[in-house]
Short mmCIF file of all heavy atoms in Angstrom, two decimals:
data_model
loop_
_atom_site.label_atom_id
_atom_site.label_comp_id
_atom_site.label_asym_id
_atom_site.label_seq_id
_atom_site.Cartn_x
_atom_site.Cartn_y
_atom_site.Cartn_z
N MET G 1 -276.17 51.69 101.77
CA MET G 1 -276.90 50.46 101.72
C MET G 1 -278.22 50.60 102.46
O MET G 1 -279.24 50.08 102.01
CB MET G 1 -276.07 49.33 102.29
CG MET G 1 -274.82 49.04 101.48
SD MET G 1 -273.90 47.68 102.18
CE MET G 1 -274.20 46.50 100.90
N LEU G 2 -278.19 51.26 103.59
CA LEU G 2 -279.41 51.42 104.37
C LEU G 2 -280.44 52.25 103.61
O LEU G 2 -281.64 51.99 103.70
CB LEU G 2 -279.10 52.05 105.72
CG LEU G 2 -278.25 51.21 106.67
CD1 LEU G 2 -277.91 52.01 107.92
CD2 LEU G 2 -278.96 49.92 107.03
N LYS G 3 -279.96 53.22 102.86
CA LYS G 3 -280.87 54.06 102.06
C LYS G 3 -281.68 53.22 101.09
O LYS G 3 -282.84 53.50 100.83
CB LYS G 3 -280.06 55.12 101.31
CG LYS G 3 -280.90 56.03 100.46
CD LYS G 3 -280.04 57.06 99.75
CE LYS G 3 -280.89 57.94 98.85
NZ LYS G 3 -280.07 58.94 98.17
N TYR G 4 -281.07 52.17 100.54
CA TYR G 4 -281.73 51.32 99.56
C TYR G 4 -282.25 50.02 100.17
O TYR G 4 -282.56 49.07 99.47
CB TYR G 4 -280.78 51.03 98.40
CG TYR G 4 -280.48 52.28 97.63
CD1 TYR G 4 -279.26 52.94 97.78
CD2 TYR G 4 -281.42 52.84 96.76
CE1 TYR G 4 -278.99 54.11 97.09
CE2 TYR G 4 -281.15 54.01 96.08
CZ TYR G 4 -279.93 54.64 96.24
OH TYR G 4 -279.67 55.79 95.56
N ASN G 5 -282.34 50.01 101.51
CA ASN G 5 -282.91 48.87 102.24
C ASN G 5 -282.13 47.58 102.02
O ASN G 5 -282.71 46.50 101.90
CB ASN G 5 -284.38 48.70 101.87
CG ASN G 5 -285.19 48.17 103.03
OD1 ASN G 5 -284.74 48.25 104.17
ND2 ASN G 5 -286.35 47.66 102.75
N ILE G 6 -280.80 47.71 101.97
CA ILE G 6 -279.91 46.56 101.84
C ILE G 6 -279.18 46.38 103.16
O ILE G 6 -278.68 47.35 103.73
CB ILE G 6 -278.90 46.78 100.69
CG1 ILE G 6 -279.62 46.94 99.36
CG2 ILE G 6 -277.89 45.64 100.63
CD1 ILE G 6 -278.72 47.37 98.22
N VAL G 7 -279.14 45.17 103.65
CA VAL G 7 -278.45 44.90 104.91
C VAL G 7 -276.95 45.15 104.72
O VAL G 7 -276.35 44.58 103.80
CB VAL G 7 -278.68 43.44 105.36
CG1 VAL G 7 -277.88 43.11 106.60
CG2 VAL G 7 -280.17 43.19 105.59
N PRO G 8 -276.36 46.00 105.55
CA PRO G 8 -274.92 46.24 105.42
C PRO G 8 -274.13 45.01 105.84
O PRO G 8 -274.67 44.09 106.46
CB PRO G 8 -274.67 47.41 106.37
CG PRO G 8 -275.79 47.37 107.33
CD PRO G 8 -276.96 46.75 106.63
N PHE G 9 -272.87 45.01 105.51
CA PHE G 9 -272.02 43.90 105.91
C PHE G 9 -270.59 44.38 106.07
O PHE G 9 -270.21 45.42 105.54
CB PHE G 9 -272.09 42.74 104.92
CG PHE G 9 -271.69 43.09 103.52
CD1 PHE G 9 -270.38 42.96 103.10
CD2 PHE G 9 -272.62 43.54 102.62
CE1 PHE G 9 -270.00 43.28 101.81
CE2 PHE G 9 -272.27 43.85 101.32
CZ PHE G 9 -270.97 43.72 100.92
N ILE G 10 -269.84 43.61 106.82
CA ILE G 10 -268.43 43.90 107.05
C ILE G 10 -267.65 42.64 106.67
O ILE G 10 -267.96 41.55 107.15
CB ILE G 10 -268.17 44.25 108.53
CG1 ILE G 10 -268.98 45.48 108.90
CG2 ILE G 10 -266.68 44.44 108.79
CD1 ILE G 10 -269.02 45.76 110.40
N ILE G 11 -266.68 42.80 105.80
CA ILE G 11 -265.83 41.67 105.44
C ILE G 11 -264.76 41.55 106.53
O ILE G 11 -263.92 42.42 106.68
CB ILE G 11 -265.17 41.87 104.05
CG1 ILE G 11 -266.22 42.08 102.97
CG2 ILE G 11 -264.24 40.71 103.73
CD1 ILE G 11 -267.14 40.90 102.74
N LEU G 12 -264.85 40.47 107.28
CA LEU G 12 -263.90 40.23 108.36
C LEU G 12 -262.57 39.70 107.80
O LEU G 12 -262.53 39.19 106.67
CB LEU G 12 -264.49 39.22 109.35
CG LEU G 12 -265.81 39.63 109.99
CD1 LEU G 12 -266.35 38.48 110.83
CD2 LEU G 12 -265.65 40.89 110.81
N ASP G 13 -261.52 39.83 108.60
CA ASP G 13 -260.21 39.36 108.16
C ASP G 13 -260.24 37.89 107.74
O ASP G 13 -259.59 37.51 106.77
CB ASP G 13 -259.17 39.55 109.27
CG ASP G 13 -258.71 40.99 109.39
OD1 ASP G 13 -258.89 41.76 108.43
OD2 ASP G 13 -258.17 41.34 110.45
N LYS G 14 -261.00 37.08 108.45
CA LYS G 14 -261.05 35.65 108.13
C LYS G 14 -261.71 35.38 106.78
O LYS G 14 -261.49 34.33 106.20
CB LYS G 14 -261.76 34.88 109.23
CG LYS G 14 -263.24 35.16 109.35
CD LYS G 14 -263.86 34.33 110.48
CE LYS G 14 -265.35 34.50 110.53
NZ LYS G 14 -266.06 33.86 109.47
N ASP G 15 -262.47 36.34 106.26
CA ASP G 15 -263.17 36.17 104.98
C ASP G 15 -262.55 37.01 103.85
O ASP G 15 -263.04 36.99 102.73
CB ASP G 15 -264.65 36.55 105.13
CG ASP G 15 -265.36 35.68 106.13
OD1 ASP G 15 -265.05 34.47 106.18
OD2 ASP G 15 -266.21 36.20 106.87
N LYS G 16 -261.49 37.72 104.18
CA LYS G 16 -260.89 38.65 103.23
C LYS G 16 -260.43 37.96 101.94
O LYS G 16 -260.67 38.47 100.85
CB LYS G 16 -259.72 39.36 103.90
CG LYS G 16 -259.13 40.46 103.10
CD LYS G 16 -258.14 41.31 103.87
CE LYS G 16 -257.31 40.57 104.86
NZ LYS G 16 -256.29 41.40 105.50
N LEU G 17 -259.82 36.80 102.05
CA LEU G 17 -259.33 36.10 100.86
C LEU G 17 -260.48 35.65 99.96
O LEU G 17 -260.37 35.68 98.73
CB LEU G 17 -258.45 34.92 101.25
CG LEU G 17 -257.13 35.29 101.91
CD1 LEU G 17 -256.35 34.04 102.31
CD2 LEU G 17 -256.29 36.18 101.02
N PHE G 18 -261.60 35.25 100.57
CA PHE G 18 -262.77 34.88 99.77
C PHE G 18 -263.32 36.09 99.02
O PHE G 18 -263.73 36.00 97.87
CB PHE G 18 -263.88 34.29 100.67
CG PHE G 18 -263.50 32.97 101.28
CD1 PHE G 18 -263.27 32.88 102.64
CD2 PHE G 18 -263.40 31.83 100.50
CE1 PHE G 18 -262.94 31.68 103.22
CE2 PHE G 18 -263.06 30.61 101.07
CZ PHE G 18 -262.83 30.53 102.43
N TYR G 19 -263.31 37.24 99.69
CA TYR G 19 -263.77 38.48 99.07
C TYR G 19 -262.87 38.86 97.90
O TYR G 19 -263.35 39.18 96.82
CB TYR G 19 -263.80 39.59 100.12
CG TYR G 19 -264.29 40.91 99.61
CD1 TYR G 19 -265.61 41.09 99.22
CD2 TYR G 19 -263.43 41.99 99.52
CE1 TYR G 19 -266.06 42.32 98.76
CE2 TYR G 19 -263.86 43.22 99.07
CZ TYR G 19 -265.18 43.38 98.69
OH TYR G 19 -265.63 44.60 98.24
N TYR G 20 -261.56 38.79 98.11
CA TYR G 20 -260.63 39.11 97.03
C TYR G 20 -260.79 38.15 95.86
O TYR G 20 -260.72 38.54 94.70
CB TYR G 20 -259.18 39.07 97.53
CG TYR G 20 -258.82 40.18 98.48
CD1 TYR G 20 -257.82 40.01 99.41
CD2 TYR G 20 -259.47 41.41 98.47
CE1 TYR G 20 -257.46 41.02 100.29
CE2 TYR G 20 -259.13 42.42 99.34
CZ TYR G 20 -258.13 42.22 100.25
OH TYR G 20 -257.78 43.21 101.11
N ARG G 21 -260.99 36.88 96.17
CA ARG G 21 -261.21 35.88 95.12
C ARG G 21 -262.48 36.23 94.33
O ARG G 21 -262.48 36.17 93.10
CB ARG G 21 -261.34 34.51 95.73
CG ARG G 21 -261.71 33.42 94.75
CD ARG G 21 -261.87 32.12 95.48
NE ARG G 21 -262.54 31.14 94.64
CZ ARG G 21 -263.01 29.99 95.08
NH1 ARG G 21 -262.87 29.67 96.35
NH2 ARG G 21 -263.62 29.18 94.30
N GLY G 22 -263.53 36.61 95.04
CA GLY G 22 -264.77 37.00 94.37
C GLY G 22 -264.59 38.20 93.47
O GLY G 22 -265.10 38.22 92.34
N LEU G 23 -263.86 39.20 93.96
CA LEU G 23 -263.59 40.37 93.13
C LEU G 23 -262.79 40.00 91.89
O LEU G 23 -263.08 40.46 90.77
CB LEU G 23 -262.83 41.42 93.93
CG LEU G 23 -263.61 42.16 95.02
CD1 LEU G 23 -262.66 43.06 95.80
CD2 LEU G 23 -264.73 42.96 94.42
N ASN G 24 -261.78 39.15 92.07
CA ASN G 24 -260.94 38.73 90.95
C ASN G 24 -261.75 37.95 89.91
O ASN G 24 -261.63 38.19 88.71
CB ASN G 24 -259.77 37.91 91.45
CG ASN G 24 -258.81 37.55 90.35
OD1 ASN G 24 -258.43 38.42 89.57
ND2 ASN G 24 -258.43 36.29 90.29
N GLU G 25 -262.57 37.02 90.37
CA GLU G 25 -263.39 36.23 89.45
C GLU G 25 -264.36 37.11 88.68
O GLU G 25 -264.60 36.90 87.50
CB GLU G 25 -264.16 35.14 90.21
CG GLU G 25 -263.32 33.99 90.67
CD GLU G 25 -262.78 33.15 89.52
OE1 GLU G 25 -263.52 32.92 88.54
OE2 GLU G 25 -261.61 32.74 89.60
N TYR G 26 -264.92 38.09 89.36
CA TYR G 26 -265.87 38.98 88.68
C TYR G 26 -265.16 39.84 87.64
O TYR G 26 -265.65 40.01 86.53
CB TYR G 26 -266.58 39.87 89.69
CG TYR G 26 -267.60 40.76 89.03
CD1 TYR G 26 -268.78 40.21 88.53
CD2 TYR G 26 -267.39 42.12 88.89
CE1 TYR G 26 -269.71 41.01 87.90
CE2 TYR G 26 -268.32 42.92 88.26
CZ TYR G 26 -269.48 42.37 87.77
OH TYR G 26 -270.41 43.16 87.14
N GLN G 27 -263.98 40.35 87.98
CA GLN G 27 -263.24 41.20 87.06
C GLN G 27 -262.72 40.43 85.86
O GLN G 27 -262.75 40.93 84.73
CB GLN G 27 -262.08 41.89 87.76
CG GLN G 27 -262.52 42.97 88.70
CD GLN G 27 -261.36 43.59 89.46
OE1 GLN G 27 -260.32 42.97 89.63
NE2 GLN G 27 -261.57 44.80 89.94
N SER G 28 -262.27 39.22 86.07
CA SER G 28 -261.64 38.48 84.98
C SER G 28 -262.62 37.64 84.16
O SER G 28 -262.47 37.52 82.95
CB SER G 28 -260.51 37.60 85.51
OG SER G 28 -261.00 36.68 86.45
N ASN G 29 -263.64 37.08 84.81
CA ASN G 29 -264.53 36.15 84.11
C ASN G 29 -266.00 36.56 84.13
O ASN G 29 -266.84 35.83 83.64
CB ASN G 29 -264.44 34.75 84.75
CG ASN G 29 -263.05 34.20 84.74
OD1 ASN G 29 -262.27 34.46 83.84
ND2 ASN G 29 -262.70 33.46 85.77
N LYS G 30 -266.28 37.68 84.76
CA LYS G 30 -267.67 38.11 84.95
C LYS G 30 -268.47 37.09 85.74
O LYS G 30 -269.69 37.05 85.69
CB LYS G 30 -268.37 38.43 83.63
CG LYS G 30 -267.74 39.54 82.85
CD LYS G 30 -267.80 40.84 83.62
CE LYS G 30 -267.15 41.96 82.80
NZ LYS G 30 -266.71 43.05 83.62
N GLU G 31 -267.77 36.24 86.50
CA GLU G 31 -268.41 35.26 87.38
C GLU G 31 -268.67 35.94 88.71
O GLU G 31 -267.74 36.30 89.42
CB GLU G 31 -267.50 34.04 87.56
CG GLU G 31 -267.95 33.06 88.61
CD GLU G 31 -269.32 32.49 88.35
OE1 GLU G 31 -269.60 32.06 87.21
OE2 GLU G 31 -270.14 32.49 89.28
N LYS G 32 -269.93 36.14 89.05
CA LYS G 32 -270.25 36.86 90.27
C LYS G 32 -270.67 35.98 91.44
O LYS G 32 -270.93 36.47 92.53
CB LYS G 32 -271.31 37.92 89.99
CG LYS G 32 -272.57 37.42 89.36
CD LYS G 32 -273.47 38.57 88.98
CE LYS G 32 -274.66 38.03 88.18
NZ LYS G 32 -275.52 39.09 87.73
N GLY G 33 -270.72 34.70 91.24
CA GLY G 33 -271.17 33.79 92.29
C GLY G 33 -270.35 33.83 93.55
O GLY G 33 -270.89 33.87 94.66
N TYR G 34 -269.02 33.82 93.42
CA TYR G 34 -268.14 33.84 94.59
C TYR G 34 -268.32 35.14 95.39
O TYR G 34 -268.39 35.12 96.61
CB TYR G 34 -266.67 33.71 94.19
CG TYR G 34 -266.32 32.39 93.59
CD1 TYR G 34 -265.94 32.28 92.26
CD2 TYR G 34 -266.35 31.22 94.35
CE1 TYR G 34 -265.60 31.06 91.69
CE2 TYR G 34 -266.02 30.00 93.80
CZ TYR G 34 -265.65 29.92 92.47
OH TYR G 34 -265.32 28.72 91.93
N LEU G 35 -268.40 36.25 94.68
CA LEU G 35 -268.54 37.54 95.33
C LEU G 35 -269.89 37.65 96.04
O LEU G 35 -269.97 38.08 97.19
CB LEU G 35 -268.37 38.67 94.31
CG LEU G 35 -268.39 40.09 94.85
CD1 LEU G 35 -267.30 40.28 95.90
CD2 LEU G 35 -268.22 41.08 93.72
N ILE G 36 -270.93 37.23 95.38
CA ILE G 36 -272.27 37.28 95.97
C ILE G 36 -272.33 36.39 97.20
O ILE G 36 -272.85 36.80 98.25
CB ILE G 36 -273.34 36.89 94.94
CG1 ILE G 36 -273.48 38.00 93.90
CG2 ILE G 36 -274.69 36.61 95.62
CD1 ILE G 36 -274.41 37.67 92.75
N ASP G 37 -271.81 35.18 97.10
CA ASP G 37 -271.83 34.27 98.25
C ASP G 37 -271.07 34.84 99.45
O ASP G 37 -271.53 34.74 100.59
CB ASP G 37 -271.23 32.91 97.88
CG ASP G 37 -272.13 32.10 96.98
OD1 ASP G 37 -273.33 32.43 96.87
OD2 ASP G 37 -271.64 31.12 96.40
N THR G 38 -269.94 35.46 99.19
CA THR G 38 -269.15 36.05 100.26
C THR G 38 -269.89 37.20 100.92
O THR G 38 -269.94 37.31 102.15
CB THR G 38 -267.78 36.53 99.73
OG1 THR G 38 -267.10 35.43 99.13
CG2 THR G 38 -266.92 37.12 100.83
N CYS G 39 -270.52 38.05 100.12
CA CYS G 39 -271.26 39.19 100.65
C CYS G 39 -272.50 38.73 101.42
O CYS G 39 -272.81 39.27 102.48
CB CYS G 39 -271.63 40.15 99.54
SG CYS G 39 -270.20 40.98 98.81
N LEU G 40 -273.20 37.73 100.90
CA LEU G 40 -274.37 37.21 101.59
C LEU G 40 -273.98 36.59 102.93
O LEU G 40 -274.68 36.76 103.93
CB LEU G 40 -275.11 36.19 100.72
CG LEU G 40 -275.85 36.76 99.52
CD1 LEU G 40 -276.43 35.63 98.67
CD2 LEU G 40 -276.95 37.72 99.95
N ASN G 41 -272.87 35.88 102.94
CA ASN G 41 -272.38 35.30 104.19
C ASN G 41 -272.05 36.41 105.20
O ASN G 41 -272.38 36.29 106.38
CB ASN G 41 -271.16 34.43 103.92
CG ASN G 41 -270.65 33.76 105.17
OD1 ASN G 41 -271.40 33.16 105.91
ND2 ASN G 41 -269.35 33.88 105.41
N ALA G 42 -271.41 37.46 104.73
CA ALA G 42 -271.07 38.58 105.62
C ALA G 42 -272.35 39.26 106.13
O ALA G 42 -272.40 39.68 107.29
CB ALA G 42 -270.18 39.58 104.88
N GLN G 43 -273.37 39.35 105.29
CA GLN G 43 -274.64 39.93 105.74
C GLN G 43 -275.26 39.07 106.84
O GLN G 43 -275.78 39.60 107.82
CB GLN G 43 -275.62 40.04 104.58
CG GLN G 43 -275.38 41.23 103.70
CD GLN G 43 -276.37 41.31 102.56
OE1 GLN G 43 -276.76 40.30 101.99
NE2 GLN G 43 -276.77 42.52 102.23
N GLU G 44 -275.22 37.76 106.67
CA GLU G 44 -275.77 36.86 107.69
C GLU G 44 -275.04 37.03 109.02
O GLU G 44 -275.68 37.06 110.08
CB GLU G 44 -275.69 35.42 107.22
CG GLU G 44 -276.64 35.09 106.08
CD GLU G 44 -276.42 33.69 105.52
OE1 GLU G 44 -275.70 32.89 106.14
OE2 GLU G 44 -276.98 33.41 104.45
N GLN G 45 -273.73 37.16 108.96
CA GLN G 45 -272.95 37.37 110.18
C GLN G 45 -273.32 38.69 110.84
O GLN G 45 -273.44 38.78 112.07
CB GLN G 45 -271.45 37.33 109.87
CG GLN G 45 -270.95 35.98 109.45
CD GLN G 45 -269.49 36.02 109.04
OE1 GLN G 45 -268.72 36.86 109.50
NE2 GLN G 45 -269.10 35.10 108.18
N TYR G 46 -273.52 39.72 110.03
CA TYR G 46 -273.90 41.03 110.53
C TYR G 46 -275.27 40.97 111.22
O TYR G 46 -275.45 41.49 112.32
CB TYR G 46 -273.91 42.05 109.38
CG TYR G 46 -274.23 43.46 109.81
CD1 TYR G 46 -273.22 44.30 110.26
CD2 TYR G 46 -275.53 43.95 109.77
CE1 TYR G 46 -273.49 45.59 110.66
CE2 TYR G 46 -275.81 45.24 110.17
CZ TYR G 46 -274.80 46.06 110.60
OH TYR G 46 -275.08 47.34 111.00
N ILE G 47 -276.22 40.29 110.58
CA ILE G 47 -277.57 40.15 111.14
C ILE G 47 -277.51 39.44 112.49
O ILE G 47 -278.18 39.84 113.44
CB ILE G 47 -278.49 39.40 110.15
CG1 ILE G 47 -278.80 40.29 108.95
CG2 ILE G 47 -279.78 38.95 110.83
CD1 ILE G 47 -279.49 39.57 107.80
N GLU G 48 -276.71 38.39 112.59
CA GLU G 48 -276.59 37.66 113.85
C GLU G 48 -276.02 38.55 114.96
O GLU G 48 -276.46 38.48 116.11
CB GLU G 48 -275.73 36.41 113.68
CG GLU G 48 -276.40 35.33 112.86
CD GLU G 48 -277.74 34.89 113.46
OE1 GLU G 48 -277.81 34.66 114.68
OE2 GLU G 48 -278.72 34.80 112.69
N LYS G 49 -275.04 39.38 114.62
CA LYS G 49 -274.48 40.29 115.63
C LYS G 49 -275.52 41.32 116.08
O LYS G 49 -275.63 41.61 117.26
CB LYS G 49 -273.25 41.00 115.08
CG LYS G 49 -272.04 40.11 114.99
CD LYS G 49 -270.79 40.94 115.00
CE LYS G 49 -269.58 40.10 114.78
NZ LYS G 49 -269.15 39.38 115.93
N VAL G 50 -276.27 41.84 115.14
CA VAL G 50 -277.29 42.83 115.47
C VAL G 50 -278.36 42.18 116.36
O VAL G 50 -278.78 42.77 117.36
CB VAL G 50 -277.92 43.42 114.19
CG1 VAL G 50 -279.17 44.24 114.53
CG2 VAL G 50 -276.91 44.30 113.46
N LYS G 51 -278.78 40.97 116.02
CA LYS G 51 -279.76 40.26 116.84
C LYS G 51 -279.24 40.06 118.26
O LYS G 51 -279.99 40.19 119.22
CB LYS G 51 -280.10 38.90 116.22
CG LYS G 51 -281.01 38.97 115.05
CD LYS G 51 -281.30 37.56 114.55
CE LYS G 51 -282.14 37.57 113.32
NZ LYS G 51 -282.36 36.19 112.80
N TYR G 52 -277.97 39.74 118.37
CA TYR G 52 -277.38 39.52 119.69
C TYR G 52 -277.48 40.78 120.55
O TYR G 52 -277.83 40.73 121.72
CB TYR G 52 -275.92 39.10 119.53
CG TYR G 52 -275.17 38.99 120.84
CD1 TYR G 52 -275.34 37.88 121.67
CD2 TYR G 52 -274.33 40.00 121.26
CE1 TYR G 52 -274.66 37.77 122.87
CE2 TYR G 52 -273.65 39.92 122.46
CZ TYR G 52 -273.82 38.80 123.26
OH TYR G 52 -273.16 38.72 124.46
N PHE G 53 -277.16 41.93 119.95
CA PHE G 53 -277.15 43.16 120.72
C PHE G 53 -278.55 43.74 120.93
O PHE G 53 -278.79 44.47 121.89
CB PHE G 53 -276.25 44.22 120.06
CG PHE G 53 -274.80 43.90 120.23
CD1 PHE G 53 -274.04 43.43 119.17
CD2 PHE G 53 -274.18 44.05 121.46
CE1 PHE G 53 -272.69 43.13 119.34
CE2 PHE G 53 -272.83 43.74 121.63
CZ PHE G 53 -272.11 43.29 120.58
N LEU G 54 -279.48 43.43 120.05
CA LEU G 54 -280.84 43.95 120.20
C LEU G 54 -281.76 42.98 120.93
O LEU G 54 -282.80 43.36 121.43
CB LEU G 54 -281.45 44.26 118.83
CG LEU G 54 -280.79 45.39 118.05
CD1 LEU G 54 -281.47 45.57 116.71
CD2 LEU G 54 -280.82 46.69 118.83
N GLY G 55 -281.36 41.70 120.92
CA GLY G 55 -282.24 40.67 121.45
C GLY G 55 -282.14 40.50 122.90
O GLY G 55 -282.86 40.22 123.72
#
């Protein structure tokens, strides 16, 4: 992800079910909204943690 200038993210245990739901929706209905929202949320959490440690 860093190679392509994409903010990495970690799916936390508390968000795991949302991630699985997103994967399932994408595989079955080609609906990518749930998966994208979950990943974007995880990216925001990652950015906040990085800011905390660098700030």
